[in-house]
Amino acid sequence: GAVVSQHPSWVICKSGTSVKIECRSLDFQATTMFWYRQFPKQSLMLMATSNEGSKATYEQGVEKDKFLINHASLTLSTLTVTSAHPEDSSFYICSARIFRVTSGGNGEQYFGPGTRLTVT
Amino acid sequence: SQKIEQNSEALNIQEGKTATLTCNYTNYSPAYLQWYRQDPGRGPVFLLLIRENEKEKRKERLKVTFDTTLKQSLFHITASQPADSATYLCALDITGGGNKLTFGTGTQLKVEL
């Protein structure tokens, strides 16, 4: 269980265009999903927390107008990179947190396979 | 600021040996710490979570220790196999609310025949 999918797995787009990445929880409901970005040889950097039915919470330094997040249902969150530029080329990964009440809270996160974005 | 340090140098070990990876952190007292595995071009895969009141956690060939005094976690893989070769990441919730994980840069492990 606890499978998270992402689509597409990779995308190449031209500078100035917009790209949408989907993140789905396949066998559980996720009220909260997270979006990360990872550059080569670096760790994952949290971009934003996506909350179902409400606005996303962005980390400091992340432009909310450039990285649009929509969490329309309990199983789907989308990240749209608007007016993409070559410096936006990166590996984007989403995750969902499972909250296990029986274990006292603060569950592990399950990650999608990632989306490789290349902006030319 | 909060720092999470993992050995940036790759760890090469021989098949069958025990691999030990280190995660050190500063300036925070996390309620729990997690370890993930990441293969090239893939998202991280959750391995183990250990809470601040737990000294040790085991899962099959994996063992994690958590020393809140030293602010350190050790991750062990016993009887290592070439299939264990990957990058291993430790992660902390620095907010205390279970909502945000901060990751270390990871240590690349290579298990050789």
Side-chain angles (χ1 to χ4, degrees), chain A residues 54-89:
Chain A
S54 65
K55 291 183 179 180
T57 304
Y58 290 82
E59 294 301 299
Q60 192 173 10
V62 178
E63 300 175 58
K64 62 179 180 180
D65 294 330
K66 180 171 184 61
F67 299 99
L68 300 179
I69 292 173
N70 188 329
H71 196 150
S73 76
L74 289 172
T75 59
L76 173 64
S77 175
T78 60
L79 168 68
T80 301
V81 183
T82 62
S83 187
H85 291 286
E87 56 264 32
D88 297 323
S89 299

Side-chain angles (χ1 to χ4, degrees), chain A residues 26-120:
Chain A
L26 297 185
D27 50 2
F28 66 100
Q29 294 182 332
T31 55
T32 303
M33 290 183 174
F34 305 89
W35 286 96
Y36 294 82
R37 180 167 52 182
Q38 186 176 33
F39 293 105
K41 302 290 186 183
Q42 296 187 23
S43 191
L44 285 78
M45 296 298 296
L46 179 64
M47 299 174 64
T49 302
S50 170
N51 302 299
E52 186 267 337
S54 65
K55 291 183 179 180
T57 304
Y58 290 82
E59 294 301 299
Q60 192 173 10
V62 178
E63 300 175 58
K64 62 179 180 180
D65 294 330
K66 180 171 184 61
F67 299 99
L68 300 179
I69 292 173
N70 188 329
H71 196 150
S73 76
L74 289 172
T75 59
L76 173 64
S77 175
T78 60
L79 168 68
T80 301
V81 183
T82 62
S83 187
H85 291 286
E87 56 264 32
D88 297 323
S89 299
S90 187
F91 192 50
Y92 291 87
I93 312 172
C94 71
S95 75
R97 185 172 69 97
I98 291 181
F99 185 88
R100 301 187 194 278
V101 176
T102 54
S103 64
N106 296 334
E108 60 273 23
Q109 289 189 20
Y110 289 88
F111 286 81
T115 297
R116 173 73 60 191
L117 170 64
T118 302
V119 184
T120 61

Side-chain angles (χ1 to χ4, degrees), chain B residues 10-31:
Chain B
L11 176 63
N12 295 334
I13 66 167
Q14 206 170 17
E15 182 181 21
K17 301 292 186 183
T18 296
T20 299
L21 287 70
T22 305
C23 176
N24 295 296
Y25 59 93
T26 59
N27 299 338
Y28 193 69
S29 299

Side-chain angles (χ1 to χ4, degrees), chain B residues 1-65:
Chain B
S1 62
Q2 174 67 22
K3 288 180 65 176
I4 303 171
E5 296 181 341
Q6 294 184 254
N7 193 337
S8 58
E9 293 183 12
L11 176 63
N12 295 334
I13 66 167
Q14 206 170 17
E15 182 181 21
K17 301 292 186 183
T18 296
T20 299
L21 287 70
T22 305
C23 176
N24 295 296
Y25 59 93
T26 59
N27 299 338
Y28 193 69
S29 299
Y32 63 89
L33 183 148
Q34 302 182 22
W35 282 90
Y36 289 80
R37 168 184 173 141
Q38 186 175 26
D39 291 282
R42 307 290 295 174
V45 175
F46 171 77
L47 296 175
L48 281 168
L49 178 154
I50 186 167
R51 303 186 190 285
E52 60 178 341
N53 60 350
E54 298 175 316
K55 295 296 184 185
E56 183 179 297
K57 200 85 168 278
R58 291 176 184 263
K59 179 183 176 183
E60 297 174 352
R61 294 185 296 112
L62 309 180
K63 184 179 84 171
V64 172
T65 62

